[in-house]
Every structure is written in C-alpha cells, then in structure tokens.
Amino acid sequence: MAPAGNLRQRAEALRREIERHNFLYYVKDAPEIGDAEYDRMFRSLLELERDHPELASPDSPTQRVGAPPLAEFAEVRHRAPMLSISNAFEEEEVRAFDRRVHEGVGAASVEYAAEPKFDGLAISLAYRDGVFVRGATRGDGTTGEDVTPNLRTVRSIPLRLPRGADTRDLEVRGEIVMFRGEFEALNERQRRAGEKEFANPRNAAAGSLRQLDSRVTAGRPLRFFAYAIGPASRGHWRTQAQTLDRLAELGFPVCPERRVVRGVEDLLEYFADVGRRRERLPYSIDGVVYKVNRLDWQERLGFVARAPRFALAHKFPAEEQATEVLGIDVQVGRTGALTPVARLKPVRVGGVTVTNATLHNEDELRRKDVWIGDTVVVRRAGDVIPEVVGVGGKGPRKPSDRFEMPRRCPVCGAPVVRLAGEAATRCTGGLSCKAQRKQTLLHFAGRRAMDIDGLGDRLVDQLVERNIVDSPADLYGLELDTLAGLERMGEKSAQNLRDSIRRSRSVPLARFVFALGIPGVGEEVARILARHFESLDAILEADWPQLAAEKDALRKQNAQRKRRGEPPLEVPLEGIGPEIMDSIRKFLHQPANRRVIRRLIDPAAGVRVERGRAAAAADSKTFVLTGTLAGMTRDDARAALEAKGHKVTGSVSKNTDYVVAGESPGAKLDAARSLGVPVLDEQQFLDLLKRL
Ligand code: IVH
C-alpha cells in the first residue's frame, strides 16, 4: 500500500485536474478531453475517497454529486441585503436615470457597465480562505435559504479559488439559470419518466435549486453567472468591470456579453443590440442591466427604498401572442369582486404557457368587446399576470357567445350587486362565501401581512372546504392532529406550520391593520393609520365621520392659507381620502369584523399587536452608527438600514431616533446620552432591524 502522504497528493492532483476540466467544459466551453476519460478520472477519485475517508474534503469535485437530503433549509441572513433594481421600459426613463446619475456624482461623463438581465434566480456565494463555504438564495432580500449542498453540485461554481488577499473573505453574487437547450432536454427526460414538466427555464432552475435532496439537483443542468460582489468584499477593486474581470480570472463564469459604455446613447444602443441577439443567446434574459462603473460613485449614489440609485434594469417590452377564447369564467376575490377571466387555447407567451388571462371587469370586457370564440391578443411581462390586450379577429359570435355577468355568485349563490360609480360587480355573501373566506385567509397569512409561512392555496382550500377554519382567528386554535390530518401534510410540516402560526402572533400594528383586508387599505394606508393612531384600540374607537370633517375643514383652511402665502397646517392622515375613510368606517362598524378582531387579540388566540410609533413598521427612522460592530461593517449596517428606507446620518441631534454603539464608540455616544437618544448595542440593533 502506498504511504498516506502519496495518496493525499494523488487525491489532490486528481481534484485539481477534474476541476480544471470542469472549468474548461462549463465555463470556457472548450473541453480538452472526452466524457469517458473524465468519468475515469472521476471514478478514481471517488474510489480513493471511499477507501480513505480521511482524504475526503468539502471542496472535492466528488461533492458535486449531492449530499443526503435535508429536512428543511436553514435561514441565512445576508451580510448586506440583496436588493432589487428599478425597472425601466421606456427610453425616456433611461435618459432620466442617466441625468440623475450625472447630477448625483457631479461629473460630465459617466461610464456604465452593461450586461444582460438574466431570467433566473439570484444567489450569494461565500468563500473563506478561498474555499466555498456557503451559498444562499436571495429570499426576501434580507434572509435567504441555505442551499450550499445544492450549489456544490453546480459544475460552473468553483469550489476552491486561488489564494489571494481578495479570496480570504469573498462574497460573490450572481444568477442561477438553465440554458434553453438543456431545459428542453430536461423536460424531455421528465416527460419520458412520467414526471412533471417545467413551464420555463426559470421555473426549472428554481425548482432544481430548491430541492431538499441535493442529489436531485446534481442531475439538473444548472449554470451560474457572477455579476457582483457583496458589499463587504469591496475595497479590492475600483470598478464593476475590473471586479468582473477578476472574478473571471478566479474561475467564475461571467457574461461574455458584458460591455463598458459611456453616455446614454451608448446604453440605448447596447440595449437594441442585445435585443436583436436575444433569441440567439443560450439563456433567457428579460432586459439589460446598467450599473455605474466606478464603485466609489456607486457608493456615493446610494439607495432609494429597496433599490440602488446606481443601477437600472432596462426591460424588453412585454411579449404578445394571439389565441382563441374557449370560454369566460368568473372568479371571486377577497372583497367579493367578480372578475371575468378568459379561458384560452394554451399559447406560449414570454416563455410560459398561458391558459387564462384576466379581463378585469365587465366594463373592460365590453370596451374590448371580447366574445367566446374570438381570437384575442394576450400579453405577459415577466412575473406579471397575463392580460387580454384586445380582439384580433371575431369568432362566429352566436348569442350564447356573449358574456353575461351572473346574477348570483358562482361560488356561494348569493345575489351580486354593482354599486353606482364602481367598476366591480360584487358577491354579497361576505364571509359566508367560501371564495371570499379563502382569499381573506390567504391575504391575512401573506408575507407582507401576518407572514404565516407555509399557509398556501392548497391548505387554505382544504381548511375552508372542510369547515375547519371560518375566520383568521380560527388559525390560532388549530390543533396539531387536525393539521396532520390534511392532505399532503406530514407530521413535520404540520409542526412547522403550527410554529409559523405561533410566530406570527407578535406583529407590528401596521401589518396587523393591513392583514385585516379592509377594502382600500393597502400597506401604505395601513402604515399611515399606524403612525397616526399608534394603537389598535385607538383605531377601533376612532370617530371616522368626525375625522373626515376635520380633515375637510383643514384642507379648506390650507387652501386659504396658501392664497395668503402662509405655511399650511398639518392635515392628519394625509394620503387617506374620504372613500377609504368611509370604507374603514364601514368595515369596523360590522359586528362580524369586530368579533374577528376581538377574537384575534383575545389571549386564547394570543395575537399581540405592537403599540407605539415603532408600530408603524416602515416608519423611516434616523440612525447614527458609532464604534466597531463585530458581525458587520458599518457600511453593511448602513446598507441594511437604507435598504429598508431608514436614514443614517453622521451626527447625533434631537432628530436622531437611535444610536448604534459598537466596540470603542466615539463622542457620539456621549452626545446620545446627553440628548436622551436611545442607544442600542449590536444585538439590540440586530433585533430591531428584523422588526423594522
Ligand atoms: S445586479 C445592486 N445584474 O435582477 C444590483 N442583477 O432586480 C444587484 N439580475 O434579483 C443586482 N441579471 O437576480 C444584476 N446582470 C445582472 C442581473 C441581475 C439578473 C436580477 C437579480 C436580482 C434582480 C434585481
């Protein structure tokens, strides 16, 4: 038997050689050896590691075949949020972006790094001392899922990097995609095996990446493109283009279509050029992305809301296709609105097969004059719901082909009404209508409402159909046995669901108000209400007609003051008009609704609605950071706050909401103390950040 040292060297040599061929094949698209030879090498390494487990290593290419399945994905908090980018469809919007950038950096000429916008999934890869240690999905931008074993199976993701100052602690961000040809082949295999086919490459990529069993992922043709580095890894490079060149040098696939261009005309030309070649690219894209090339300028431009000011996604126009209307169905929404939906002869639009398209309401349907049997043009852009644009050709149009709004709700049979001045026809069944009950529950459980993870369509269907749950309050009394008895529910998922229901019990006022589903009360209105009233009781006790009258009077006064050149008086609940006020009043006036609210906050259900100004959830706060944080840099902390719409300033004043003090804080801490500004330590800050 060979000495251990030799075996280690041999394993190491095989690993390097195999990874080199992976790189040549998957990244360079220029293989030097055939499949058989590759397989031989791979098997040798597998055997070597099997016979000598002490030689195994997490960055070995053998790890790319997948690991035993997980029970669930762990959550990963991103070191800095993974943001979205503002969209533009029109040339004018691109020009406006370019003007804002010029103003922001105060330069006469600005360089941009441009590249395609991949239609895949954003991920983040972490390397420590050159070794791939963790990969996560974007998730909601703040927290994603740990999909490390799955990402190890993606051949174009390097498991090990050359050692260097910049690879000691590196976060690479990019997109997981599936090439169109490989997607078609996968669907063919799925079809033959009698398995479910995927709607499009994006769905196939997402479904493959989010497999608990990474051995399944290993059999799926996933690809990766790197397009950025995490904010904490900056500092080594000056520009976006340099960053990508360096990533390419380190073995990451970067997009060969990337260009550096100067000025807005060149951006538009790049857009047109990529648009022309779009169909010939092996992967799906839905536009191009422009980023200010200089990283210091990116920093200077900063962020608005959840998107950076230094980047823009210029999207291709929505795709349109013609198809036949097979029928017109009616769907009942959360507030009882009846929506006519065209049932279509299946047609491919924008990469997915469309079988339904909304016709919005009766007036829209009449305006477009859609009849059953007509040929219509259907449009779909990205994730947007497909809609009927108009009629392309009339069908035979027998009298029975004309759509009539039903007189009774197709779900519960209650009479429908259409109020004067309203576009919607509504079911009058209220919560006795199963359709309305289901939608109410789905809205209540939604991510932006109570955020009950795992309570989706299918479960809500069963809970309502079997009369297990009538109102949101019933969710909090669900027994484990009841949940485990539902279709497609194991004991583990029943437990998970019950846990997420429990977790949802502590909720900021704004979210709770939004979750109630009061017609007209979206997130923004809910925040305004929370900011103004600061407690649920105050909202329940408000005198709405009185408030409306006050607002009206103040507005009239302000009109006079304006004429006299005087500053306006503050109007309460600015942004909430009389119709919404009336809708809130009506909702809260109904005994059934008040009963649900009372039951929710009753100790038996146990929902605790947070009071106070902080309850406004997205109320913008002003922070000052001082000292060194252990888990993140100050820039990370700033990015995390700004991404949530909060401000970070350099000095403490009476307008500062919080001072975050790390190790060895400066004079700002003293200033905070003397002004009575709350001081948070790192842990308190992280806790608060979760709730902001
Ligand atoms: S850059 C700060 N580049 O677009 C900017 N994003 O709206 C960070 N995306 O979820 C992103 N292709 O998945 C960037 N070439 C590209 C991209 C790209 C696709 C996606 C990304 C993200 C979304 C942002």
mmCIF file of all heavy atoms in Angstrom, residues 610-639:
data_model
loop_
_atom_site.group_PDB
_atom_site.id
_atom_site.type_symbol
_atom_site.label_atom_id
_atom_site.label_comp_id
_atom_site.label_asym_id
_atom_site.label_seq_id
_atom_site.Cartn_x
_atom_site.Cartn_y
_atom_site.Cartn_z
ATOM 1 N N GLU A 610 -48.261 45.224 18.333
ATOM 2 C CA GLU A 610 -47.328 46.158 18.970
ATOM 3 C C GLU A 610 -47.829 47.585 18.869
ATOM 4 O O GLU A 610 -48.309 48.006 17.836
ATOM 5 C CB GLU A 610 -45.951 46.034 18.314
ATOM 6 C CG GLU A 610 -45.274 44.724 18.670
ATOM 7 C CD GLU A 610 -44.173 44.375 17.679
ATOM 8 O OE1 GLU A 610 -43.583 45.291 17.084
ATOM 9 O OE2 GLU A 610 -43.937 43.160 17.508
ATOM 10 N N ARG A 611 -47.693 48.316 19.977
ATOM 11 C CA ARG A 611 -48.165 49.697 20.012
ATOM 12 C C ARG A 611 -47.023 50.665 19.755
ATOM 13 O O ARG A 611 -45.888 50.270 19.628
ATOM 14 C CB ARG A 611 -48.728 50.014 21.400
ATOM 15 C CG ARG A 611 -49.865 49.153 21.854
ATOM 16 C CD ARG A 611 -50.113 49.399 23.325
ATOM 17 N NE ARG A 611 -50.350 50.806 23.559
ATOM 18 C CZ ARG A 611 -51.533 51.321 23.839
ATOM 19 N NH1 ARG A 611 -52.586 50.531 23.930
ATOM 20 N NH2 ARG A 611 -51.682 52.607 24.047
ATOM 21 N N GLY A 612 -47.372 51.923 19.732
ATOM 22 C CA GLY A 612 -46.341 52.957 19.708
ATOM 23 C C GLY A 612 -45.893 53.321 18.309
ATOM 24 O O GLY A 612 -46.303 52.704 17.333
ATOM 25 N N ARG A 613 -45.045 54.323 18.255
ATOM 26 C CA ARG A 613 -44.614 54.801 16.936
ATOM 27 C C ARG A 613 -43.871 53.742 16.150
ATOM 28 O O ARG A 613 -43.995 53.659 14.942
ATOM 29 C CB ARG A 613 -43.734 56.055 17.097
ATOM 30 C CG ARG A 613 -44.527 57.328 17.230
ATOM 31 C CD ARG A 613 -43.613 58.533 17.284
ATOM 32 N NE ARG A 613 -42.810 58.673 16.074
ATOM 33 C CZ ARG A 613 -43.286 59.157 14.941
ATOM 34 N NH1 ARG A 613 -44.522 59.541 14.853
ATOM 35 N NH2 ARG A 613 -42.516 59.270 13.886
ATOM 36 N N ALA A 614 -43.127 52.912 16.864
ATOM 37 C CA ALA A 614 -42.375 51.860 16.172
ATOM 38 C C ALA A 614 -43.328 50.922 15.448
ATOM 39 O O ALA A 614 -42.956 50.257 14.494
ATOM 40 C CB ALA A 614 -41.540 51.067 17.165
ATOM 41 N N ALA A 615 -44.599 50.896 15.893
ATOM 42 C CA ALA A 615 -45.576 50.003 15.295
ATOM 43 C C ALA A 615 -45.877 50.360 13.853
ATOM 44 O O ALA A 615 -46.470 49.592 13.127
ATOM 45 C CB ALA A 615 -46.860 50.030 16.111
ATOM 46 N N ALA A 616 -45.478 51.533 13.430
ATOM 47 C CA ALA A 616 -45.742 51.907 12.049
ATOM 48 C C ALA A 616 -44.890 51.106 11.081
ATOM 49 O O ALA A 616 -45.009 51.241 9.887
ATOM 50 C CB ALA A 616 -45.499 53.393 11.853
ATOM 51 N N ALA A 617 -44.049 50.239 11.619
ATOM 52 C CA ALA A 617 -43.269 49.289 10.824
ATOM 53 C C ALA A 617 -42.296 49.962 9.865
ATOM 54 O O ALA A 617 -41.104 49.905 10.063
ATOM 55 C CB ALA A 617 -44.151 48.315 10.081
ATOM 56 N N ALA A 618 -42.781 50.580 8.831
ATOM 57 C CA ALA A 618 -41.849 51.128 7.861
ATOM 58 C C ALA A 618 -41.661 52.627 8.055
ATOM 59 O O ALA A 618 -41.177 53.313 7.180
ATOM 60 C CB ALA A 618 -42.319 50.830 6.464
ATOM 61 N N ASP A 619 -42.055 53.112 9.195
ATOM 62 C CA ASP A 619 -41.816 54.498 9.538
ATOM 63 C C ASP A 619 -40.305 54.745 9.400
ATOM 64 O O ASP A 619 -39.508 54.003 9.948
ATOM 65 C CB ASP A 619 -42.229 54.659 11.001
ATOM 66 C CG ASP A 619 -42.402 56.109 11.383
ATOM 67 O OD1 ASP A 619 -42.084 56.976 10.553
ATOM 68 O OD2 ASP A 619 -42.829 56.343 12.508
ATOM 69 N N SER A 620 -39.921 55.764 8.665
ATOM 70 C CA SER A 620 -38.498 55.959 8.441
ATOM 71 C C SER A 620 -37.816 56.507 9.705
ATOM 72 O O SER A 620 -38.258 57.480 10.282
ATOM 73 C CB SER A 620 -38.305 56.918 7.281
ATOM 74 O OG SER A 620 -36.955 57.267 7.208
ATOM 75 N N LYS A 621 -36.750 55.863 10.125
ATOM 76 C CA LYS A 621 -36.031 56.256 11.342
ATOM 77 C C LYS A 621 -34.654 56.802 10.971
ATOM 78 O O LYS A 621 -34.096 56.456 9.926
ATOM 79 C CB LYS A 621 -35.829 55.044 12.243
ATOM 80 C CG LYS A 621 -37.120 54.396 12.693
ATOM 81 C CD LYS A 621 -37.471 54.879 14.077
ATOM 82 C CE LYS A 621 -38.669 54.171 14.636
ATOM 83 N NZ LYS A 621 -39.929 54.626 14.053
ATOM 84 N N THR A 622 -34.124 57.617 11.877
ATOM 85 C CA THR A 622 -32.792 58.150 11.644
ATOM 86 C C THR A 622 -31.815 57.522 12.637
ATOM 87 O O THR A 622 -32.052 57.562 13.844
ATOM 88 C CB THR A 622 -32.805 59.681 11.787
ATOM 89 O OG1 THR A 622 -33.765 60.187 10.867
ATOM 90 C CG2 THR A 622 -31.456 60.265 11.468
ATOM 91 N N PHE A 623 -30.751 56.959 12.102
ATOM 92 C CA PHE A 623 -29.756 56.256 12.913
ATOM 93 C C PHE A 623 -28.411 56.963 12.845
ATOM 94 O O PHE A 623 -28.084 57.572 11.833
ATOM 95 C CB PHE A 623 -29.531 54.827 12.388
ATOM 96 C CG PHE A 623 -30.642 53.875 12.712
ATOM 97 C CD1 PHE A 623 -31.817 53.887 11.975
ATOM 98 C CD2 PHE A 623 -30.508 52.953 13.738
ATOM 99 C CE1 PHE A 623 -32.842 53.009 12.259
ATOM 100 C CE2 PHE A 623 -31.529 52.065 14.031
ATOM 101 C CZ PHE A 623 -32.698 52.094 13.296
ATOM 102 N N VAL A 624 -27.653 56.826 13.923
ATOM 103 C CA VAL A 624 -26.247 57.209 13.880
ATOM 104 C C VAL A 624 -25.454 55.984 14.326
ATOM 105 O O VAL A 624 -25.826 55.327 15.303
ATOM 106 C CB VAL A 624 -25.953 58.407 14.803
ATOM 107 C CG1 VAL A 624 -24.455 58.655 14.906
ATOM 108 C CG2 VAL A 624 -26.658 59.656 14.275
ATOM 109 N N LEU A 625 -24.394 55.647 13.572
ATOM 110 C CA LEU A 625 -23.595 54.469 13.905
ATOM 111 C C LEU A 625 -22.262 54.925 14.485
ATOM 112 O O LEU A 625 -21.641 55.849 13.955
ATOM 113 C CB LEU A 625 -23.338 53.629 12.642
ATOM 114 C CG LEU A 625 -24.578 53.295 11.814
ATOM 115 C CD1 LEU A 625 -24.180 52.605 10.510
ATOM 116 C CD2 LEU A 625 -25.518 52.401 12.609
ATOM 117 N N THR A 626 -21.832 54.266 15.563
ATOM 118 C CA THR A 626 -20.527 54.623 16.120
ATOM 119 C C THR A 626 -19.839 53.375 16.669
ATOM 120 O O THR A 626 -20.509 52.429 17.070
ATOM 121 C CB THR A 626 -20.668 55.719 17.206
ATOM 122 O OG1 THR A 626 -19.382 56.001 17.752
ATOM 123 C CG2 THR A 626 -21.580 55.275 18.340
ATOM 124 N N GLY A 627 -18.506 53.381 16.624
ATOM 125 C CA GLY A 627 -17.756 52.224 17.111
ATOM 126 C C GLY A 627 -17.742 51.086 16.095
ATOM 127 O O GLY A 627 -18.293 51.189 15.007
ATOM 128 N N THR A 628 -17.079 49.983 16.468
ATOM 129 C CA THR A 628 -16.906 48.844 15.561
ATOM 130 C C THR A 628 -17.901 47.749 15.903
ATOM 131 O O THR A 628 -17.993 47.341 17.056
ATOM 132 C CB THR A 628 -15.485 48.264 15.720
ATOM 133 O OG1 THR A 628 -14.568 49.352 15.719
ATOM 134 C CG2 THR A 628 -15.154 47.307 14.595
ATOM 135 N N LEU A 629 -18.636 47.285 14.899
ATOM 136 C CA LEU A 629 -19.562 46.174 15.119
ATOM 137 C C LEU A 629 -18.821 44.863 14.871
ATOM 138 O O LEU A 629 -17.935 44.796 14.020
ATOM 139 C CB LEU A 629 -20.766 46.293 14.185
ATOM 140 C CG LEU A 629 -21.594 47.579 14.359
ATOM 141 C CD1 LEU A 629 -22.647 47.696 13.266
ATOM 142 C CD2 LEU A 629 -22.253 47.590 15.733
ATOM 143 N N ALA A 630 -19.200 43.823 15.606
ATOM 144 C CA ALA A 630 -18.473 42.555 15.490
ATOM 145 C C ALA A 630 -18.880 41.781 14.243
ATOM 146 O O ALA A 630 -18.051 41.224 13.541
ATOM 147 C CB ALA A 630 -18.723 41.709 16.738
ATOM 148 N N GLY A 631 -20.197 41.784 13.934
ATOM 149 C CA GLY A 631 -20.699 40.905 12.874
ATOM 150 C C GLY A 631 -20.800 41.538 11.511
ATOM 151 O O GLY A 631 -21.054 40.861 10.521
ATOM 152 N N MET A 632 -20.629 42.858 11.425
ATOM 153 C CA MET A 632 -20.764 43.513 10.128
ATOM 154 C C MET A 632 -19.989 44.823 10.139
ATOM 155 O O MET A 632 -19.684 45.357 11.206
ATOM 156 C CB MET A 632 -22.239 43.783 9.812
ATOM 157 C CG MET A 632 -23.005 44.534 10.888
ATOM 158 S SD MET A 632 -24.593 45.167 10.286
ATOM 159 C CE MET A 632 -25.623 43.776 10.386
ATOM 160 N N THR A 633 -19.682 45.321 8.957
ATOM 161 C CA THR A 633 -19.011 46.608 8.906
ATOM 162 C C THR A 633 -20.078 47.696 9.033
ATOM 163 O O THR A 633 -21.260 47.433 8.894
ATOM 164 C CB THR A 633 -18.287 46.803 7.568
ATOM 165 O OG1 THR A 633 -19.298 46.877 6.546
ATOM 166 C CG2 THR A 633 -17.349 45.647 7.261
ATOM 167 N N ARG A 634 -19.630 48.918 9.273
ATOM 168 C CA ARG A 634 -20.608 49.999 9.363
ATOM 169 C C ARG A 634 -21.305 50.198 8.028
ATOM 170 O O ARG A 634 -22.484 50.543 7.972
ATOM 171 C CB ARG A 634 -19.914 51.292 9.817
ATOM 172 C CG ARG A 634 -19.698 51.333 11.313
ATOM 173 C CD ARG A 634 -20.038 52.697 11.870
ATOM 174 N NE ARG A 634 -19.094 53.720 11.443
ATOM 175 C CZ ARG A 634 -17.993 54.017 12.126
ATOM 176 N NH1 ARG A 634 -17.706 53.366 13.236
ATOM 177 N NH2 ARG A 634 -17.193 54.945 11.710
ATOM 178 N N ASP A 635 -20.571 49.968 6.935
ATOM 179 C CA ASP A 635 -21.189 50.107 5.610
ATOM 180 C C ASP A 635 -22.311 49.093 5.417
ATOM 181 O O ASP A 635 -23.354 49.393 4.843
ATOM 182 C CB ASP A 635 -20.148 49.938 4.508
ATOM 183 C CG ASP A 635 -19.351 51.211 4.315
ATOM 184 O OD1 ASP A 635 -19.807 52.266 4.798
ATOM 185 O OD2 ASP A 635 -18.279 51.150 3.687
ATOM 186 N N ASP A 636 -22.077 47.849 5.905
ATOM 187 C CA ASP A 636 -23.135 46.829 5.840
ATOM 188 C C ASP A 636 -24.364 47.303 6.582
ATOM 189 O O ASP A 636 -25.488 47.202 6.108
ATOM 190 C CB ASP A 636 -22.683 45.531 6.508
ATOM 191 C CG ASP A 636 -21.713 44.775 5.635
ATOM 192 O OD1 ASP A 636 -21.526 45.197 4.487
ATOM 193 O OD2 ASP A 636 -21.133 43.789 6.104
ATOM 194 N N ALA A 637 -24.115 47.807 7.800
ATOM 195 C CA ALA A 637 -25.226 48.238 8.644
ATOM 196 C C ALA A 637 -25.979 49.367 7.950
ATOM 197 O O ALA A 637 -27.204 49.377 7.911
ATOM 198 C CB ALA A 637 -24.704 48.692 10.002
ATOM 199 N N ARG A 638 -25.220 50.273 7.374
ATOM 200 C CA ARG A 638 -25.855 51.397 6.688
ATOM 201 C C ARG A 638 -26.691 50.890 5.507
ATOM 202 O O ARG A 638 -27.853 51.270 5.340
ATOM 203 C CB ARG A 638 -24.784 52.363 6.166
ATOM 204 C CG ARG A 638 -25.353 53.423 5.223
ATOM 205 C CD ARG A 638 -24.231 54.135 4.488
ATOM 206 N NE ARG A 638 -23.502 55.017 5.387
ATOM 207 C CZ ARG A 638 -23.815 56.309 5.564
ATOM 208 N NH1 ARG A 638 -24.802 56.852 4.890
ATOM 209 N NH2 ARG A 638 -23.133 57.052 6.380
ATOM 210 N N ALA A 639 -26.122 49.971 4.722
ATOM 211 C CA ALA A 639 -26.848 49.450 3.560
ATOM 212 C C ALA A 639 -28.128 48.746 4.007
ATOM 213 O O ALA A 639 -29.178 48.894 3.393
ATOM 214 C CB ALA A 639 -25.958 48.488 2.772
#
